C-alpha cells in the first residue's frame, strides 16, 4: 500500500508540474499575442487618425497627376517620392536607373459608325500605333474570342476592322478573375487579328461598369507581325456598335488616332529603407508602381499602393518600432506598359546577392482590406493564418494560397522569394481601372488607411517572427 501511495503521490506531483508548465507556456503565449495585438491596434489607430497616406495621395494625384512611363508626371513623381522619403529621414533613400518605353497618346482619337455618323466613346490602347493620317475606313467583323479569328480565317478577316466584343464575366465574385478572363482580347487581340489581314481592332472595354467610359491598357505586339491600330470602346458604345451590326452586317467604321512611340526614356525605381537591427541583410520588400496610365490620376492604380508602402515605414517610425530585418519600400516604375522596374529590381538584387525574405505588393486599389494572397511554402501560409485573430474581422479575414504582383513576381521566379499580394474588396476596382474615373475623389480615406495599417501589421509580424 505504501508503494502504491508513493506512486500515486509521484504521479500527482508530475501531473501538477506538467500542467503548471503547460499553463506557463499558454500564459506566455497569451502575453505575446496580447503584445502583438496591442501594437497592431496602435498601427491602425495611428493610420486612421493621422491620414498621412491620404494626404500623400492627394498631392501625388492632384498636384502631379497621371504618370505614364516617360512622361513629365512620371519624372516628377520620382523626384517627389525621393524627397518625401528623405524628409521622413529613412535610413536609406536611393534610386535605381533604368530606361522605359515612351508612348504618347496623341490628341486625336475618333471611332465613328459611318452609316449613322455616330461617334463612339474611345481610348487608344497603350502602345498602339497610329492610323494613317487620313484614318481608316473599313467594314467590321465582330468576334468574341481569339479562337474565332482562326476559325473565320483570312478570307473573312482581311481588310476589316475586328471588333472583340467579349464582355467581362459579371457572374464572378472576384472581379480580378473576371478581368483576367477577358483581357487577352486586349493584350493579344491586335496581333492575332493582324495575322489574318485585319487593318485595325476595337475592343469592348475590359471592366465591370455599365457606362460609356472607355478603359485603356497595354497591347502587346508580337514580333514579326504587322502592327495595326487598336482602341477600346466604352461598354455602351460597344453595345451600340453590336446593335448596328445586327441591323446591317456591312456597316463601316472610321478610325483615326495619332499616338506614337518615341525612343526609350531614362527613369528610376525609388527606394526607401529602415535598416534591420538584428538581421540587416534579410530584406522585407513592400511596393507599388508609381507609373499610371495617362487618363485619370492613377489614384487606385497604383498611387494608393505606393503611398501605403511609404507609410508602412512611416508608421514603424512613429511608433518607435525598430525592425529586426530591413524593411524596404519600393516605388516601381513601368508596371503598366513594360514591367521594366520590376525586372531591373530583381536584376540588381541578383547582382548584389541580396537576401529577400519576402516581398509584398499593393496594386489592387485603395478599398477596404479583405485578405492576403501568399505564394510560399504551406507551413508559411499556415503560420500567417495563425495571425488572423490579431486583425479586426472587418479588415483582414483570410489568407489564401497564391499571390504576388507584377513587380515582385520576378523575385519569385528568379530568386525563389515568397510573395504576397494585398487583397482589398474588388467590387469597384474594375469600374475605374485604367479609365478617366481613376481619380483621387474616388478614394475613401478610411478604406485607404485601413489598407496601410493592414499591410504594416502583416510586415510587423513577419519581421518579428520570420517565415
Amino acid at each position: 500500500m505504501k508503494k502504491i501511495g508513493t506512486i500515486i503521490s509521484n504521479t500527482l506531483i508530475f501531473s501538477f508540474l506538467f500542467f503548471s508548465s503547460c499553463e506557463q507556456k499558454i500564459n506566455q503565449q497569451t502575453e505575446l499575442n496580447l503584445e502583438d495585438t496591442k501594437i497592431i491596434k496602435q498601427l491602425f489607430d495611428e493610420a486612421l487618425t493621422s491620414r498621412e497616406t491620404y494626404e500623400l495621395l492627394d498631392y501625388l494625384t492632384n498636384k502631379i497627376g497621371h504618370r505614364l512611363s516617360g512622361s513629365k508626371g512620371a519624372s516628377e513623381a520620382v523626384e517627389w517620392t525621393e524627397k518625401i522619403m528623405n524628409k521622413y529621414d529613412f535610413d536609406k533613400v536611393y534610386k535605381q536607373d533604368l530606361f522605359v518605353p515612351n508612348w504618347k497618346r496623341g490628341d486625336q482619337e475618333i471611332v465613328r459608325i459611318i452609316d449613322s455618323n455616330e461617334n463612339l466613346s474611345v481610348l487608344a490602347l497603350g502602345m498602339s500605333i497610329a492610323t494613317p493620317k487620313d484614318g481608316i475606313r473599313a467594314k467590321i467583323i465582330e468576334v468574341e474570342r481569339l479562337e474565332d479569328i482562326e476559325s473565320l480565317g483570312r478570307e473573312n478577316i482581311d481588310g476589316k476592322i475586328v471588333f472583340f466584343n467579349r464582355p467581362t464575366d459579371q457572374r464572378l465574385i472576384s472581379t480580378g478573375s473576371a478581368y483576367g478572363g477577358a483581357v487577352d482580347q486586349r493584350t493579344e487581340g491586335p496581333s492575332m487579328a493582324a495575322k489574318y489581314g485585319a487593318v485595325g481592332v476595337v475592343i469592348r472595354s475590359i471592366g465591370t461598369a455599365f457606362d460609356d467610359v472607355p478603359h485603356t491598357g497595354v497591347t502587346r505586339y508580337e514580333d514579326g507581325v504587322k502592327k495595326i491600330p487598336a482602341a477600346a470602346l466604352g461598354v455602351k458604345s460597344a453595345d451600340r456598335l453590336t446593335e448596328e451590326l445586327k441591323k446591317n452586317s456591312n456597316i463601316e467604321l472610321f478610325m483615326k488616332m495619332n499616338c506614337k512611340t518615341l525612343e526609350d526614356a531614362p527613369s528610376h525605381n525609388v527606394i526607401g529603407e529602415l535598416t534591420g537591427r538584428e538581421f540587416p541583410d534579410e530584406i522585407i520588400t513592400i511596393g507599388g508602381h508609381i507609373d499610371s496610365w495617362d487618363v485619370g490620376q492613377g489614384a487606385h492604380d497604383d498611387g494608393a499602393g505606393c503611398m501605403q508602402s511609404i507609410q508602412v515605414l512611416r508608421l514603424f517610425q512613429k511608433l518607435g518600432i525598430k525592425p529586426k530585418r530591413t524593411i524596404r519600400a519600393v516605388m516601381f516604375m513601368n508596371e503598366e506598359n513594360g514591367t521594366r522596374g520590376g525586372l531591373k529590381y530583381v536584376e540588381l538584387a541578383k547582382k548584389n546577392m541580396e537576401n529577400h525574405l519576402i516581398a509584398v505588393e499593393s496594386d489592387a486599389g485603395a478599398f477596404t482590406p479583405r485578405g492576403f494572397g501568399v505564394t510560399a511554402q504551406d507551413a508559411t501560409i499556415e503560420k500567417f493564418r495563425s495571425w488572423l485573430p490579431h486583425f479586426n474581422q472587418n479588415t483582414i479575414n483570410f489568407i489564401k494560397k497564391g499571390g504576388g504582383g507584377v513587380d515582385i513576381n520576378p523575385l519569385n521566379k528568379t530568386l525563389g522569394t515568397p510573395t504576397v499580394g494585398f487583397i482589398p474588396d474588388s467590387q469597384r476596382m474594375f469600374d475605374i481601372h485604367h479609365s478617366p474615373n481613376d481619380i483621387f475623389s474616388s478614394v475613401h480615406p478610411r478604406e485607404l488607411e485601413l489598407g496601410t495599417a493592414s499591410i504594416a501589421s502583416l510586415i510587423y509580424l513577419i519581421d518579428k517572427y520570420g517565415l
Side-chain angles (χ1 to χ4, degrees), residues 6 22 71 86 106 150 160 162 164 176 178 190 198 209 221 240 244 246 252 415 452:
T6 301
C22 289
S71 69
N86 275 318
E150 296 177 297
K160 294 181 180 178
V162 172
F164 285 99
Y221 289 118
R240 289 199 295 274
E244 290 297 320
K246 289 176 182 177
E252 291 184 313
L415 302 180
T452 300

Side-chain angles (χ1 to χ4, degrees), residues 168-333:
T168 305
D169 191 346
Q170 298 286 349
R171 299 169 298 177
L172 299 179
I173 303 300
S174 169
T175 60
S177 297
Y179 172 81
V183 77
D184 62 344
Q185 56 198 320
R186 190 195 77 206
T187 56
E188 302 172 41
S191 280
M192 175 64 80
K195 290 179 182 179
Y196 292 85
V199 295
V201 160
V202 293
I203 70 165
R204 171 185 286 263
S205 284
I206 313 301
T208 49
F210 293 96
D211 58 23
D212 209 24
V213 179
H215 296 234
T216 189
V218 73
T219 190
R220 301 188 182 97
Y221 289 118
E222 187 177 331
D223 290 341
V225 177
K226 182 181 178 181
K227 295 180 180 180
I228 59 176
L233 302 177
V235 168
K236 289 185 178 180
S237 286
D239 288 342
R240 289 199 295 274
L241 181 55
T242 197
E243 287 301 316
E244 290 297 320
L245 285 167
K246 289 176 182 177
K247 297 174 188 176
N248 179 8
S249 61
N250 291 314
I251 63 170
E252 291 184 313
L253 208 63
F254 175 75
M255 186 177 186
K256 187 175 183 180
M257 305 187 304
N258 63 343
C259 41
K260 58 185 176 181
T261 300
L262 306 177
E263 289 186 5
D264 287 357
S267 192
H268 313 271
N269 294 329
V270 191
I271 298 172
E273 292 183 2
L274 297 181
T275 304
R277 57 184 165 81
E278 290 186 26
F279 311 109
D281 293 333
E282 289 188 13
I283 299 166
I284 300 172
T285 289
I286 167 63
H289 63 88
I290 196 64
D291 63 304
S292 74
W293 280 108
D294 58 334
V295 293
Q297 297 175 323
H300 288 277
D301 188 20
D302 183 29
C306 287
M307 300 307 98
Q308 287 172 330
S309 300
I310 292 173
Q311 282 301 304
V312 167
L313 275 62
R314 182 67 173 148
L315 285 174
F316 273 53
Q317 279 187 326
K318 284 184 169 184
L319 297 184
I321 300 171
K322 305 293 185 183
K324 291 183 178 181
R325 298 164 171 88
T326 294
I327 313 295
R328 179 182 287 179
V330 185
M331 313 296 107
F332 292 99
M333 179 58 71

Side-chain angles (χ1 to χ4, degrees), residues 8 52 55 102 114 147 185 219 231 239 250 260 283 306 334 346 384 386 389 419 423:
I8 293 172
E52 275 197 53
E55 291 175 4
N102 191 8
I114 291 175
E147 297 79 20
Q185 56 198 320
T219 190
D239 288 342
N250 291 314
K260 58 185 176 181
I283 299 166
C306 287
N334 185 228
V346 74
F384 287 8
S386 73
T419 54
I423 305 173

Side-chain angles (χ1 to χ4, degrees), residues 337-389:
N337 64 337
T339 67
R340 294 189 189 175
L343 294 172
K344 174 58 70 172
Y345 185 81
V346 74
E347 173 192 323
L348 294 175
K350 184 176 181 180
K351 178 181 177 181
N352 297 328
M353 295 184 289
E354 292 180 342
N355 177 17
H356 281 74
L357 181 70
I358 197 165
V360 183
E361 185 155 4
S362 174
D363 185 20
F367 305 105
T368 302
R370 290 287 181 255
F372 292 102
V374 183
T375 297
Q377 294 182 355
D378 290 346
T380 296
I381 295 172
E382 288 305 313
K383 186 173 188 176
F384 287 8
R385 284 173 177 160
S386 73
W387 297 335
L388 285 173

Side-chain angles (χ1 to χ4, degrees), residues 25-93:
K25 288 181 179 179
I26 291 170
N27 288 335
Q28 287 174 348
Q29 184 65 34
T30 301
E31 289 173 6
L32 181 64
N33 287 343
L34 288 174
E35 177 189 354
D36 293 340
T37 301
K38 179 182 177 181
I39 291 175
I40 288 170
K41 177 67 163 56
Q42 290 173 345
L43 289 168
F44 276 86
D45 289 350
E46 179 59 34
L48 288 167
T49 54
S50 70
R51 295 193 174 187
E52 275 197 53
T53 317
Y54 191 68
E55 291 175 4
L56 291 181
L57 186 61
D58 184 3
Y59 188 96
L60 177 69
T61 54
N62 287 316
K63 299 296 184 182
I64 296 176
H66 57 72
R67 307 167 299 280
L68 188 61
S69 294
S71 69
K72 179 183 176 183
S75 179
E76 289 178 354
V78 164
E79 298 308 315
W80 176 72
T81 49
E82 181 184 31
K83 179 180 177 180
I84 286 296
M85 290 192 284
N86 275 318
K87 178 183 175 182
Y88 287 155
D89 198 25
F90 293 162
D91 295 331
K92 292 180 183 178
V93 179

